[in-house]
Amino acid sequence: MRRSLALLLGCVWLGIARPDAAPSLIAGVFTPPRLAPDFSLRGTNGRELRMRDLRGKLVLLAFGYAHCTAVCPLTLSVLADARKRLGDRAADVQVVYVTVDPERDDVEHLRQFVGRFDPTNIGATGTAAELAAVRRDYGISLDAKLPTSDGYALNHSSFIYLIDKRGRLQALMPFGHSGEDFAHDLRILEQE
């Protein structure tokens, strides 16, 4: 019994105290990582936005819409906080925000919305068919329009993809995490 207890404590100590143990991501990890599906949409930076053109940067890919009053602004605020926490290393991180509301989110409206949180954010829009294909490729659900006093609201998936510098889907962070959680994972991905 004492030997079993000593062995167990030794294993616990090795797991905690190993200085060479690599830190792990907070987000759910894709094992193995796979190439992020490419797309071609109109970017709020005035250019065609394609995932393959973002290789060399870490990408935080989120989906939402400018008329959202709760989850979407909070998501963009958290991602802006994550970039601030990275300091100079934030230059290697690109936030991409794909609209789920092409009826109301033209390039200019979306540019103003994403820019309020961080001027380096790039929003992306396109036709309803183009955006539906992107949502399908990334597993983003979108429910029917819910009538509101000023138009409609949309329920949609609210997780964020973490894409490495080689364009691979590394992880998926659900809504509700802090800017520090994202910064933590980005620091790890930066080392790969």
Side-chain angles (χ1 to χ4, degrees), residues 39-50 54 62 64-66 76 94-101 104-126 131:
F39 55 74
S40 178
L41 297 171
R42 290 187 311 279
T44 57
N45 60 354
R47 297 190 295 267
E48 178 183 16
L49 179 64
R50 299 180 302 195
L54 296 172
Y65 64 109
L76 286 169
Q94 181 60 64
V95 172
V96 174
Y97 194 76
V98 178
T99 186
V100 297
D101 189 11
R104 296 183 290 185
D105 285 347
D106 61 26
V107 171
E108 182 56 27
H109 189 243
L110 192 56
R111 184 188 65 74
Q112 290 176 17
F113 177 66
V114 299
R116 284 197 326 244
F117 300 92
D118 186 327
T120 68
N121 289 346
I122 300 175
T125 190
L131 293 167

Side-chain angles (χ1 to χ4, degrees), residues 6-38:
L7 182 60
L8 177 63
L9 289 174
C11 289
V12 168
W13 180 82
L14 284 173
I16 294 172
R18 283 185 45 202
D20 62 338
S24 60
L25 296 177
I26 293 169
V29 176
F30 289 100
T31 306
R34 61 184 171 90
L35 201 58
D38 202 8

Side-chain angles (χ1 to χ4, degrees), residues 34-92:
R34 61 184 171 90
L35 201 58
D38 202 8
F39 55 74
S40 178
L41 297 171
R42 290 187 311 279
T44 57
N45 60 354
R47 297 190 295 267
E48 178 183 16
L49 179 64
R50 299 180 302 195
M51 286 304 298
R52 67 179 170 261
D53 294 339
L54 296 172
R55 294 206 181 123
K57 288 199 174 262
L58 296 171
V59 176
L60 295 170
L61 176 64
F63 292 79
Y65 64 109
H67 284 83
C68 177
T69 59
V71 173
C72 303
L74 185 55
T75 296
L76 286 169
S77 186
V78 165
L79 298 181
D81 179 54
R83 288 188 81 250
K84 284 179 189 165
R85 290 172 181 274
L86 293 173
D88 292 341
R89 293 181 287 180
D92 291 334

